[in-house]
């Protein structure tokens, strides 16, 4: 049965969903990766696509921007459409000194300033972590590519909310990048006994604007993150 934000039927989605933030990127990923992609949902311009990738069922649907938006789609997919794993594919701003624009970050965990995971276990600072099976499949697919880094990211509620003190301290704490969705995805997956991973391309660096990439470079690097995300999704 359709949900408030997904106009599909159970069975319309594959067990694994790739989830970029941008709905146009979701359409391009579906076009690129899926044989005969089928549009299974189209509410608010957030298209959901299902098809086969190398003979295996795979879906793609965008999350929109930010943890509240992602939480709606992830919760409905996990609880109403038989989805077992969601792999976020998106971008992040670089934080750590050894993270450069163009790197791909596999997020082992996600710090957050959001209250979104506080309710999971009152009195405990819940650790929002990736699913080990997905994380290890992505790391294995990366081989020894030096541009692929594995570590924590931070999921902020405000894009324009990073103080210099915060970004400095987060970098000192080994945080590789800043984005806006992973912590919620990891919390929802843990709560619902499902699997989640975020594979992020570093699109720019917060301390070094000389690293900003051209659109062509962004696309090439995005392909690397997609390759790892698919390996995890279909593992
Ligand atoms: N902040 C939040 N999300 C992002 C950023 C950022 O600097 N860069 C890419 N996604």
């Amino acid at each position: 049965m359709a949900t408030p934000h997904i106009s599909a039927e159970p069975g319309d989605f594959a067990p694994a969903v790739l989830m970029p933030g941008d709905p146009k990127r979701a359409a391009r990923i579906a076009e690129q990766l899926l044989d005969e992609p089928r549009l299974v949902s189209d509410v608010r311009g957030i298209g959901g696509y299902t098809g086969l990738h190398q003979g295996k069922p795979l879906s793609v649907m965008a999350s929109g921007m930010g943890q509240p938006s992602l939480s709606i789609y992830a919760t409905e997919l996990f609880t109403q459409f038989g989805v077992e794993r969601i792999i976020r594919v998106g971008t992040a701003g670089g934080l750590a000194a050894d993270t450069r624009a163009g790197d791909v970050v596999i997020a082992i965990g996600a710090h957050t300033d959001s209250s979104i995971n506080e309710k999971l276990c009152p009195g405990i600072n819940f650790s929002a972590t990736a699913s080990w099976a997905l994380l290890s499949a992505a790391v294995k697919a990366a081989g020894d590519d030096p541009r692929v880094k594995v570590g924590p990211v931070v999921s902020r509620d405000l894009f324009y909310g990073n103080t210099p003190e915060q970004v400095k301290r987060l970098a000192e704490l080994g945080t590789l990048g800043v984005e806006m969705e992973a912590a919620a995805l990891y919390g929802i997956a843990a709560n619902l006994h499902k699997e989640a991973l975020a594979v992020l391309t570093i699109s720019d660096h917060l301390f070094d604007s000389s690293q900003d990439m051209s659109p062509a470079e962004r696309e090439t690097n995005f392909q690397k993150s997609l390759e790892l995300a698919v390996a995890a999704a279909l593992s």
Side-chain angles (χ1 to χ4, degrees), residues 24 41 44 62 75 84 96 104 109 172 193 227 229:
K24 287 198 172 144
S41 177
R44 292 176 180 247
T75 300
E84 292 297 326
V104 172
E172 284 169 359
H193 305 155
E227 185 189 314

Side-chain angles (χ1 to χ4, degrees), residues 67-68 70-71 74 110 112 116-117 128 155 180-189:
Q67 305 192 78
L70 177 135
S71 71
T112 188
I116 216 152
N117 290 330
S155 304
M180 300 183 71
E181 291 85 11
L185 176 60
Y186 290 0
I188 289 164

Side-chain angles (χ1 to χ4, degrees), residues 87 104 106 132-150 197 199 223-235:
I87 296 91
V104 172
I106 303 173
W132 170 246
L134 299 186
L135 183 93
S136 59
V139 171
K140 192 167 160 221
D144 54 9
D145 189 333
R147 288 180 321 158
V148 179
K149 312 256 161 71
V150 185
L197 180 68
V199 184
Q223 291 303 319
K224 182 80 206 173
S225 65
L226 207 49
E227 185 189 314
L228 306 185
V230 170
L234 300 180
S235 62

